[in-house]
Amino acid sequence: MDTVARSIGMLKKELKDEVFITGSMLSPLMLAAQILEASNLCIEMLTEKESVHSLLERLTQSCILYADRMLEEGADGIFVENGENTADLFSPDMAEDFILKYTKELYEHIQANGGYVISHNCAEHAFHEMELALKPDVLNFAFGDVKALGEQYEVECVKIHKKIGCGPRYCFKDFERHDVCLMGNINPNVFGDGSFADIEHEVKSCMDAAPEKGFILSTGCEIPLNTPIEEMETLWQAISSRF
């Protein structure tokens, strides 16, 4: 913990407010999955419910302590991995029972202490309505099922943006009304195995489909290890050409 916090402090001292400095951490349930292993955690959520809640309460406080240290050292915000908030793993009721309360407590604490919250969930079937209920400052998303969202929120993204090649993952244009900044949604698979043209197409498609305000162009998940520097330069050039 202190090593990461000290690194943030060094960056803040050197760069001051020149750049946005972000800390990174797992949400309480993601951390529980690391401790118990995901399969064991899922079993205990069904057979030892109260024990899991007790563990999550302790882990939430641990996450808060970690967030506090990063904020004290100068982090402007915290990037929180919340990828287990998804229908791929849980029912909506289970997600609400074991995720919403604890993650919301963490987010509210970070915000109350002057930090921004970037909630990262790149699951294909993420519970986006629950992510929005957590009220992060930024939602970092990927591969969103706009067709399913369209049925719930009357989003007609694919139809609206068909002329620019918008697929089911490029934007959640209707989410603009929720006052949550969106961050995404470049497909990480274009790096390494992709071509320069693929990268340029991703940037164009995401920017053309994005809301008019409240959007940060980024990858939907991590940039793969050993991505060639030439591809990163292509990404930057494609972004710069939009402005």
Side-chain angles (χ1 to χ4, degrees), residues 125-126 243:
H125 301 104
F243 302 97

Side-chain angles (χ1 to χ4, degrees), residues 123-151:
E124 185 171 357
H125 301 104
F127 294 124
H128 291 105
E129 66 278 8
M130 198 175 298
E131 292 288 340
L132 292 167
L134 293 169
K135 298 189 182 300
D137 298 287
V138 180
L139 172 60
N140 182 212
F141 67 97
F143 310 123
D145 187 348
V146 171
K147 182 179 179 181
L149 290 170
E151 296 171 356

